[in-house]
Amino acid sequence: MEPTSGAGVQAYYAESAERLATVYESLSFESVHGALLDLLPEPPARVLDVGAGTGRDAAALAGRGFTVDAVEPVTELRRVAQRLHRGSGVTWRADALPALHGVQGPYDMVLLSAVWMHLRPEERPVAMRRLAGLLAPGGTLLITLRRGEPPADRRMFDIPPEEVAGHGSEAGLTPLRLVDEGDDRLGREAVRWNSVALRKERASRPPGEAVSPPTRPAPAADPLPGPPDPRRRPTGG
């Protein structure tokens, strides 16, 4: 993402931070992520919000009792988030995908809301491996995708959810759910949304490791006959 005020920053978001705050904060966390709410872990689980923007989701998660780290590369957006959600208990960090150098896992849940579609094709497998590595065993990765023709004023790609699930599988994650969210909640024409949920299994195999077919135990051998018991009386006609 083209740097302006920090690594991973696109100029559009830096220049539009105040206006975007009004837009983003007009929707609730619950209305945006309703199809995924049942996948949230139990508080006070540790949660990472990547590309937290103006902090709507991070603050809502903290309000639900989670321990929240919020990563946002755009200085202007991060400042707005800290102002709007002062006292929320969120830890705000300057960092960006695909590397997330300053973030330390493990997390019980990682959220990317309207972030993944900014990554270039070559960045996506790297980012997915990094996110998988940040998840605790049993942890969940939730990704929402803006679909439709990308706007001309910022770098964005129309990425199908099946591609995201494929990168997740390659990184050792298990696809849980692909959701067609339908039309844009802000009423923008030709914009729709998908969601992808992936999980790091508690005993997941290393990425790329082949699964061995189950082996069938050998049948038990017939016991060898022992010497006759002299106490037993012979039977016969």
Side-chain angles (χ1 to χ4, degrees), residues 134-150:
L134 289 170
L135 282 174
T140 305
L141 174 61
L142 305 179
I143 297 176
T144 68
L145 300 164
R146 171 173 164 160
R147 304 297 312 281
E149 185 69 24

Side-chain angles (χ1 to χ4, degrees), residues 77-166:
L77 285 177
R78 201 169 57 253
R79 287 173 179 165
V80 170
Q82 291 172 304
R83 186 187 76 235
L84 292 179
H85 303 291
R86 185 179 291 111
S88 63
V90 175
T91 299
W92 309 97
R93 302 182 184 279
D95 213 330
L97 285 170
L100 292 176
H101 289 296
V103 178
Q104 297 291 328
Y107 292 95
D108 301 292
M109 188 185 85
V110 177
L111 172 67
L112 282 75
S113 182
V115 171
W116 190 262
M117 67 270 188
H118 294 301
L119 295 175
R120 295 184 177 94
E122 65 273 16
E123 294 175 319
R124 296 169 203 163
V126 179
M128 186 63 77
R129 289 193 295 270
R130 176 62 173 139
L131 294 169
L134 289 170
L135 282 174
T140 305
L141 174 61
L142 305 179
I143 297 176
T144 68
L145 300 164
R146 171 173 164 160
R147 304 297 312 281
E149 185 69 24
D153 54 1
R154 73 208 93 152
R155 190 181 74 237
M156 189 181 295
F157 302 90
D158 186 11
I159 303 175
E162 292 81 7
E163 178 189 306
V164 179

Side-chain angles (χ1 to χ4, degrees), residues 46-60:
R46 194 165 181 238
V47 172
L48 175 65
D49 185 2
V50 180
T54 60
R56 175 199 65 205
D57 294 345

